[in-house]
Amino acid sequence: MAATKEAGGVVLFPARLRPAAPPQPRIHLSPPALVGGELATLSRTLTSGWIAPAGPVPLAFEEAIRDTTGFSHAAAVASGTAALHLAYRVLGVERGDEVWTQSLTFVASIAPAVQMGARPRFLDVSPESWTLDPEVLETQLRQAARRGKLPRAVVPVDLYGQPADLDPILSLCGRWGVPVLCDSAEALGAHYRGRPVGKGAAMAAFSFNGNKIITAGGGGALVSDDPALIARARHLATQAKEAAPHYQHETTGYSYGLSSVLASVGLAQIGALPMRVAARRLVHARYAEGLAELPGLSFMPEPEWSHATRWLTVLQLDPQRCGVTPETLRRALEAANIESRPVWKPLHLQPAFHGARCHGAGHSVRLFERGLCLPSGAMTADEQDRVIDTIRTCLGG
Ligand SMILES: *Cc1c(COP(=O)(O)O)cnc(C)c1O
């Protein structure tokens, strides 16, 4: 490679060949973070010999899940998606049934039901909470009752740590006898009107995936106040074995148990949940303060009935007022080695659900088009300032 010889014998690189400044360390969207007790619980589990998806550790984890969620019955399973799959089985979803959820969510909310042959119906969210709009739900339930085709289940999603407006949803679904299953995968630790998220629904599903607020390194839970529902889910999660020495099967199930190894990690983490919620809320508060007066920039609102976890801090850009699209901002952050991500692409726009539509006023699409999720995990104040400064520079503020 050509170096330039300059007067005085000093060899210099021309600017274009100068070694680049070392990149700033990457700031991730929502990285898993250890709380410190994991090694101790893991080593206790390994030395005990109970490492399968059975025994005292998953039981202890389930007890901690009951305490945390306020539900009286819990099954710890292999993933949040597995929990939702089991819920759909327990609810008796069959080919041709309808299952309703909000369009603005992650695909796993509905994927297991679709794989079982159900037809999804996508409803819009309310701009006040970004969660299922009870008014849209009421209109849809009225029409469905008239058609004589009520859904097998309604699935509100507690999006980005924001609880859905559950009371009106429960009373509407109660009026038409439709069970409510909360996809609370993103919202462990959130509260709705002072009670833990999902409480009051027939069932709720949680996730302990690596990017969630606490993690088992992978895992999930299905919870309910109805012991029969969880007993049935547990039966299906362990290959639907009937009580016979030769493994009798009245139906087929799954291998969805949570290994004791992973449950140990979850057990060590779950005690730190209140601290984690406080930390995520603090990250959000610092963004809100650091970006306060930028025109055209706003955040997911928190209605008075919500105590969100702010699992992710999500902003909205009004391109007319700030002159920048979320994609421009995403690239500017990426150039500074900062991970950000668009808001969930509404499911009715996904090729997998070709031909589907979203019932409502179209808020889901607008939130997708204008939204960006910011790094929201454990970060130093200096790291968060780097994110804030990059956003301010990009928006010319
Ligand atoms: C993460 C997530 C799930 C799935 O959880 P896994 O444990 O990854 O299977 C389901 N629904 C929503 C809304 C999620 O964010």
Side-chain angles (χ1 to χ4, degrees), residues 12-38:
L12 292 177
F13 289 96
R16 73 192 157 77
L17 294 177
R18 213 171 282 147
Q24 304 251 54
R26 183 151 178 86
I27 301 176
H28 291 276
L29 192 72
S30 183
L34 297 181
V35 301
E38 290 87 353

Side-chain angles (χ1 to χ4, degrees), residues 78-103:
S79 69
T81 311
L84 289 160
H85 190 185
L86 292 166
Y88 288 128
R89 274 294 297 269
V90 167
L91 292 171
V93 169
E94 284 178 5
R95 187 159 296 281
D97 282 347
E98 283 193 16
V99 173
W100 296 4
T101 192
Q102 62 201 48
S103 191

Side-chain angles (χ1 to χ4, degrees), residues 81 84 88 101-115 120 122 155 157 159 183 186 344-348 350-353:
T81 311
L84 289 160
Y88 288 128
T101 192
Q102 62 201 48
S103 191
L104 189 70
T105 183
F106 181 49
V107 67
S109 300
I110 198 80
V114 171
Q115 288 150 4
F122 298 119
V155 186
V157 182
L159 203 75
D183 180 350
E186 299 179 358
W344 297 127
K345 179 173 179 170
L347 294 182
H348 73 283
Q350 294 285 3
F353 304 111

Side-chain angles (χ1 to χ4, degrees), residues 5 22 28-29 38 48 73 76 96 103 106 109-110 149 158 178 196 226 253 275 281 303-304 319 335 355 377 384 393:
K5 183 106 176 164
H28 291 276
L29 192 72
E38 290 87 353
S48 78
H73 299 275
S103 191
F106 181 49
S109 300
I110 198 80
K149 178 86 180 166
D158 304 307
V178 177
D226 182 341
M275 267 158 49
R281 288 184 62 91
E304 91 288 350
Q384 196 174 355
T393 306

